[in-house]
Amino acid sequence: VRLANLGGRAVVIVRGSDGVDLAVDVERASGGRFSADPQRAFDDWVGFSAWAGEVDSATSGAVDFDVRELGAPVPRPPQVFAIGVNYTEHAAEAGYPADSLPVTKFPTSIVGPDAVVELPSDVVDWEVELVVAIATECRNVDRASAWNHIAGLTIGQDLSERHVQAEGTKPQFSLAKSFPGFGPTGPWLVSVDEFENPDDLAIACALSGEVMQNGRTSGLIYTVPHLIERLSGILTLLPGDIIFTGTPAGVGNAREPKRFIRRGETLVSTIEGIGELETRFRQ
Ligand code: ZN
């Protein structure tokens, strides 16, 4: 199942007979059983995904769409976590020890695919990340059953302003990652059952056509199940929460010389089995 947000309405993305992706309006096709609000899909993810898995592109009013009309697939997550250092080579380049505990990314930073983001300064950095969305309210989940509590996966960019990050007497990662538009996500949420191995996906990003990051999610130091166990051992995870799981090596702040995003540039992020997330930066 692929859940997307087409102009603010929940849609299921289906493959048409000619292989082109089409959108099925959730509220209309379900006769009102499920809400038009994409965030409400998490009210009953089990029921929703079972229904959505049966949607037929031929009979459900599937329509063409432009990816530029898509919003964030999880538009109003109650809580947004961002794991700071979770790939060995990124830990080395960042100069921090690996850490399974997150910072908060404030939910107002979340936007969808093809967002145009305002750069607040000339030290904004990229971090492509696998993003997981929580399916059910949970606490004290063990690693073995953690995937059962995950609705699906999407691509995220954990954009970071490196000056704010270094401000004050302790690092301000949460604020540095929460300017408007600093959380591009999408293009859709892909349910866990669609992946042969959700623990091993190619992940990459390119800035203005130059490949900056290229890794595999099997390189995560703390796996997705481990993160769910650790977080839910402390607080309650809520349906529709999202977790940015950490970025592989290749961020701009660690380069010599440093390289940051410039006005007018385009960032393209890809994850195997999900697709491509494009973010543009205002001229
Ligand atoms: Zn990050």
Side-chain angles (χ1 to χ4, degrees), residues 13 16 29 42 44-45 60 66 70 79 98 100 115 123 138 147 153 173 184 193 203 210 229 233 238 250 257:
I13 305 297
F42 300 95
D44 173 18
W45 179 261
S60 53
D66 183 341
L70 296 178
Q79 307 181 97
S100 62
V123 290
C138 56
W147 277 113
L153 307 175
F173 292 107
D193 60 291
I203 178 168
E210 182 186 349
E229 180 180 270
L238 297 172

mmCIF file of all heavy atoms in Angstrom, residues 13 16 29 42 44-45 60 66 70 79 98 100 115 123 138 147 153 173 184 193 203 210 229 233 238 250 257:
data_model
loop_
_atom_site.group_PDB
_atom_site.id
_atom_site.type_symbol
_atom_site.label_atom_id
_atom_site.label_comp_id
_atom_site.label_asym_id
_atom_site.label_seq_id
_atom_site.Cartn_x
_atom_site.Cartn_y
_atom_site.Cartn_z
ATOM 1 N N ILE A 13 -2.014 5.240 -3.869
ATOM 2 C CA ILE A 13 -1.370 5.226 -5.183
ATOM 3 C C ILE A 13 -1.402 3.792 -5.705
ATOM 4 O O ILE A 13 -0.944 2.862 -5.032
ATOM 5 C CB ILE A 13 0.089 5.727 -5.099
ATOM 6 C CG1 ILE A 13 0.155 7.116 -4.441
ATOM 7 C CG2 ILE A 13 0.732 5.743 -6.484
ATOM 8 C CD1 ILE A 13 -0.548 8.229 -5.201
ATOM 9 N N GLY A 16 -1.630 1.708 -12.655
ATOM 10 C CA GLY A 16 -2.637 1.524 -13.697
ATOM 11 C C GLY A 16 -2.230 0.419 -14.662
ATOM 12 O O GLY A 16 -1.111 -0.085 -14.597
ATOM 13 N N ALA A 29 -13.627 6.521 -2.430
ATOM 14 C CA ALA A 29 -13.599 5.097 -2.790
ATOM 15 C C ALA A 29 -14.037 4.203 -1.627
ATOM 16 O O ALA A 29 -14.514 3.091 -1.844
ATOM 17 C CB ALA A 29 -12.199 4.703 -3.262
ATOM 18 N N PHE A 42 -4.089 6.910 10.304
ATOM 19 C CA PHE A 42 -3.422 6.253 11.437
ATOM 20 C C PHE A 42 -4.376 6.016 12.610
ATOM 21 O O PHE A 42 -4.001 5.382 13.586
ATOM 22 C CB PHE A 42 -2.207 7.079 11.875
ATOM 23 C CG PHE A 42 -1.215 7.230 10.747
ATOM 24 C CD1 PHE A 42 -1.246 8.353 9.925
ATOM 25 C CD2 PHE A 42 -0.312 6.225 10.478
ATOM 26 C CE1 PHE A 42 -0.363 8.479 8.858
ATOM 27 C CE2 PHE A 42 0.572 6.338 9.409
ATOM 28 C CZ PHE A 42 0.544 7.467 8.595
ATOM 29 N N ASP A 44 -6.854 4.098 12.401
ATOM 30 C CA ASP A 44 -7.094 2.653 12.298
ATOM 31 C C ASP A 44 -6.227 2.126 11.160
ATOM 32 O O ASP A 44 -6.723 1.808 10.080
ATOM 33 C CB ASP A 44 -8.594 2.392 12.020
ATOM 34 C CG ASP A 44 -8.876 0.923 11.723
ATOM 35 O OD1 ASP A 44 -8.039 0.056 12.054
ATOM 36 O OD2 ASP A 44 -9.951 0.651 11.143
ATOM 37 N N TRP A 45 -4.918 2.098 11.402
ATOM 38 C CA TRP A 45 -4.004 1.729 10.321
ATOM 39 C C TRP A 45 -4.252 0.297 9.838
ATOM 40 O O TRP A 45 -4.190 0.030 8.639
ATOM 41 C CB TRP A 45 -2.534 1.900 10.741
ATOM 42 C CG TRP A 45 -1.636 1.497 9.625
ATOM 43 C CD1 TRP A 45 -0.996 0.307 9.472
ATOM 44 C CD2 TRP A 45 -1.369 2.256 8.424
ATOM 45 N NE1 TRP A 45 -0.328 0.279 8.259
ATOM 46 C CE2 TRP A 45 -0.541 1.463 7.613
ATOM 47 C CE3 TRP A 45 -1.750 3.530 7.980
ATOM 48 C CZ2 TRP A 45 -0.080 1.900 6.365
ATOM 49 C CZ3 TRP A 45 -1.287 3.964 6.740
ATOM 50 C CH2 TRP A 45 -0.467 3.149 5.956
ATOM 51 N N SER A 60 -12.092 1.948 -9.076
ATOM 52 C CA SER A 60 -12.172 2.808 -7.891
ATOM 53 C C SER A 60 -12.010 4.293 -8.211
ATOM 54 O O SER A 60 -11.763 5.091 -7.308
ATOM 55 C CB SER A 60 -11.117 2.364 -6.877
ATOM 56 O OG SER A 60 -9.855 2.326 -7.507
ATOM 57 N N ASP A 66 -0.146 14.818 -10.635
ATOM 58 C CA ASP A 66 1.184 15.397 -10.800
ATOM 59 C C ASP A 66 1.869 15.322 -9.438
ATOM 60 O O ASP A 66 1.304 15.749 -8.432
ATOM 61 C CB ASP A 66 1.031 16.865 -11.242
ATOM 62 C CG ASP A 66 2.369 17.543 -11.502
ATOM 63 O OD1 ASP A 66 3.407 17.034 -11.012
ATOM 64 O OD2 ASP A 66 2.355 18.594 -12.180
ATOM 65 N N LEU A 70 1.567 16.738 -4.554
ATOM 66 C CA LEU A 70 1.562 15.921 -3.339
ATOM 67 C C LEU A 70 2.084 16.711 -2.148
ATOM 68 O O LEU A 70 3.053 17.458 -2.250
ATOM 69 C CB LEU A 70 2.425 14.673 -3.530
ATOM 70 C CG LEU A 70 1.965 13.663 -4.585
ATOM 71 C CD1 LEU A 70 2.962 12.508 -4.671
ATOM 72 C CD2 LEU A 70 0.568 13.140 -4.273
ATOM 73 N N GLN A 79 4.391 13.473 17.132
ATOM 74 C CA GLN A 79 5.773 13.579 17.608
ATOM 75 C C GLN A 79 6.697 13.250 16.434
ATOM 76 O O GLN A 79 6.410 12.346 15.647
ATOM 77 C CB GLN A 79 6.028 12.589 18.750
ATOM 78 C CG GLN A 79 5.008 12.707 19.882
ATOM 79 C CD GLN A 79 5.270 11.754 21.039
ATOM 80 O OE1 GLN A 79 5.873 12.154 22.017
ATOM 81 N NE2 GLN A 79 4.820 10.509 20.930
ATOM 82 N N ALA A 98 28.055 7.171 18.336
ATOM 83 C CA ALA A 98 26.730 6.699 17.919
ATOM 84 C C ALA A 98 25.768 6.819 19.092
ATOM 85 O O ALA A 98 26.165 6.696 20.244
ATOM 86 C CB ALA A 98 26.809 5.251 17.459
ATOM 87 N N SER A 100 21.511 6.083 20.237
ATOM 88 C CA SER A 100 20.175 5.603 19.880
ATOM 89 C C SER A 100 19.090 6.556 20.342
ATOM 90 O O SER A 100 17.919 6.343 20.069
ATOM 91 C CB SER A 100 19.932 4.218 20.496
ATOM 92 O OG SER A 100 19.976 4.298 21.906
ATOM 93 N N ALA A 115 8.855 20.345 -2.348
ATOM 94 C CA ALA A 115 8.726 21.582 -1.578
ATOM 95 C C ALA A 115 9.781 22.583 -2.040
ATOM 96 O O ALA A 115 10.854 22.202 -2.496
ATOM 97 C CB ALA A 115 8.911 21.293 -0.093
ATOM 98 N N VAL A 123 24.466 28.181 5.620
ATOM 99 C CA VAL A 123 25.055 26.979 6.223
ATOM 100 C C VAL A 123 23.991 25.900 6.464
ATOM 101 O O VAL A 123 23.964 25.244 7.508
ATOM 102 C CB VAL A 123 25.820 27.283 7.533
ATOM 103 C CG1 VAL A 123 27.098 28.065 7.239
ATOM 104 C CG2 VAL A 123 24.947 28.040 8.521
ATOM 105 N N CYS A 138 2.014 2.610 21.284
ATOM 106 C CA CYS A 138 2.770 1.518 21.892
ATOM 107 C C CYS A 138 3.772 2.005 22.920
ATOM 108 O O CYS A 138 4.249 3.130 22.871
ATOM 109 C CB CYS A 138 3.452 0.666 20.821
ATOM 110 S SG CYS A 138 4.534 1.556 19.700
ATOM 111 N N TRP A 147 8.555 -4.295 14.152
ATOM 112 C CA TRP A 147 8.032 -3.978 12.813
ATOM 113 C C TRP A 147 6.498 -4.018 12.779
ATOM 114 O O TRP A 147 5.870 -3.362 11.950
ATOM 115 C CB TRP A 147 8.613 -4.931 11.761
ATOM 116 C CG TRP A 147 9.981 -4.506 11.267
ATOM 117 C CD1 TRP A 147 11.165 -5.148 11.472
ATOM 118 C CD2 TRP A 147 10.295 -3.341 10.465
ATOM 119 N NE1 TRP A 147 12.193 -4.450 10.865
ATOM 120 C CE2 TRP A 147 11.697 -3.355 10.247
ATOM 121 C CE3 TRP A 147 9.525 -2.290 9.942
ATOM 122 C CZ2 TRP A 147 12.349 -2.350 9.508
ATOM 123 C CZ3 TRP A 147 10.169 -1.291 9.204
ATOM 124 C CH2 TRP A 147 11.559 -1.328 8.997
ATOM 125 N N LEU A 153 7.145 3.198 5.492
ATOM 126 C CA LEU A 153 8.413 3.902 5.340
ATOM 127 C C LEU A 153 8.284 4.988 4.283
ATOM 128 O O LEU A 153 7.578 4.820 3.289
ATOM 129 C CB LEU A 153 9.510 2.928 4.902
ATOM 130 C CG LEU A 153 9.696 1.671 5.764
ATOM 131 C CD1 LEU A 153 10.736 0.743 5.137
ATOM 132 C CD2 LEU A 153 10.104 2.056 7.180
ATOM 133 N N PHE A 173 20.386 21.083 18.459
ATOM 134 C CA PHE A 173 20.045 20.296 17.265
ATOM 135 C C PHE A 173 18.571 20.435 16.897
ATOM 136 O O PHE A 173 18.224 20.580 15.726
ATOM 137 C CB PHE A 173 20.383 18.823 17.496
ATOM 138 C CG PHE A 173 21.853 18.553 17.585
ATOM 139 C CD1 PHE A 173 22.448 18.256 18.800
ATOM 140 C CD2 PHE A 173 22.645 18.593 16.448
ATOM 141 C CE1 PHE A 173 23.810 18.013 18.884
ATOM 142 C CE2 PHE A 173 24.014 18.342 16.522
ATOM 143 C CZ PHE A 173 24.597 18.055 17.746
ATOM 144 N N PRO A 184 11.394 17.844 4.651
ATOM 145 C CA PRO A 184 10.710 17.272 3.478
ATOM 146 C C PRO A 184 10.548 15.755 3.634
ATOM 147 O O PRO A 184 11.483 15.073 4.067
ATOM 148 C CB PRO A 184 11.666 17.592 2.312
ATOM 149 C CG PRO A 184 12.526 18.718 2.796
ATOM 150 C CD PRO A 184 12.670 18.491 4.279
ATOM 151 N N ASP A 193 4.819 -4.249 4.416
ATOM 152 C CA ASP A 193 4.688 -5.521 3.669
ATOM 153 C C ASP A 193 5.137 -5.411 2.212
ATOM 154 O O ASP A 193 5.332 -6.432 1.552
ATOM 155 C CB ASP A 193 3.234 -6.007 3.720
ATOM 156 C CG ASP A 193 2.281 -5.000 3.094
ATOM 157 O OD1 ASP A 193 2.098 -3.915 3.682
ATOM 158 O OD2 ASP A 193 1.743 -5.263 2.008
ATOM 159 N N ILE A 203 20.065 3.894 -0.078
ATOM 160 C CA ILE A 203 19.659 5.253 0.305
ATOM 161 C C ILE A 203 20.711 6.229 -0.221
ATOM 162 O O ILE A 203 21.906 5.998 -0.061
ATOM 163 C CB ILE A 203 19.469 5.366 1.845
ATOM 164 C CG1 ILE A 203 19.100 6.781 2.275
ATOM 165 C CG2 ILE A 203 20.703 4.890 2.616
ATOM 166 C CD1 ILE A 203 18.615 6.876 3.723
ATOM 167 N N GLU A 210 25.059 16.183 -8.220
ATOM 168 C CA GLU A 210 26.261 15.551 -7.670
ATOM 169 C C GLU A 210 25.876 14.635 -6.504
ATOM 170 O O GLU A 210 25.245 15.088 -5.537
ATOM 171 C CB GLU A 210 27.241 16.627 -7.182
ATOM 172 C CG GLU A 210 28.539 16.045 -6.637
ATOM 173 C CD GLU A 210 29.467 17.097 -6.009
ATOM 174 O OE1 GLU A 210 29.196 18.310 -6.191
ATOM 175 O OE2 GLU A 210 30.421 16.699 -5.344
ATOM 176 N N GLU A 229 12.293 -0.155 20.189
ATOM 177 C CA GLU A 229 12.417 -0.704 21.539
ATOM 178 C C GLU A 229 12.921 0.370 22.511
ATOM 179 O O GLU A 229 12.379 0.556 23.601
ATOM 180 C CB GLU A 229 13.378 -1.896 21.523
ATOM 181 C CG GLU A 229 13.595 -2.546 22.877
ATOM 182 C CD GLU A 229 14.562 -3.723 22.799
ATOM 183 O OE1 GLU A 229 14.095 -4.854 22.572
ATOM 184 O OE2 GLU A 229 15.792 -3.509 22.952
ATOM 185 N N GLY A 233 10.541 2.282 25.222
ATOM 186 C CA GLY A 233 10.901 1.944 26.596
ATOM 187 C C GLY A 233 10.920 3.169 27.488
ATOM 188 O O GLY A 233 10.965 3.055 28.712
ATOM 189 N N LEU A 238 2.947 7.243 19.396
ATOM 190 C CA LEU A 238 1.553 7.437 18.993
ATOM 191 C C LEU A 238 1.372 7.126 17.516
ATOM 192 O O LEU A 238 2.299 7.305 16.711
ATOM 193 C CB LEU A 238 1.142 8.894 19.255
ATOM 194 C CG LEU A 238 1.184 9.326 20.721
ATOM 195 C CD1 LEU A 238 0.942 10.823 20.837
ATOM 196 C CD2 LEU A 238 0.152 8.545 21.528
ATOM 197 N N GLY A 250 28.496 11.698 4.340
ATOM 198 C CA GLY A 250 28.491 12.549 3.146
ATOM 199 C C GLY A 250 27.802 13.882 3.310
ATOM 200 O O GLY A 250 27.488 14.546 2.328
ATOM 201 N N PRO A 257 36.668 21.442 1.340
ATOM 202 C CA PRO A 257 36.031 22.445 2.196
ATOM 203 C C PRO A 257 34.560 22.107 2.450
ATOM 204 O O PRO A 257 33.968 21.308 1.727
ATOM 205 C CB PRO A 257 36.146 23.724 1.362
ATOM 206 C CG PRO A 257 36.115 23.237 -0.062
ATOM 207 C CD PRO A 257 36.831 21.915 -0.050
#
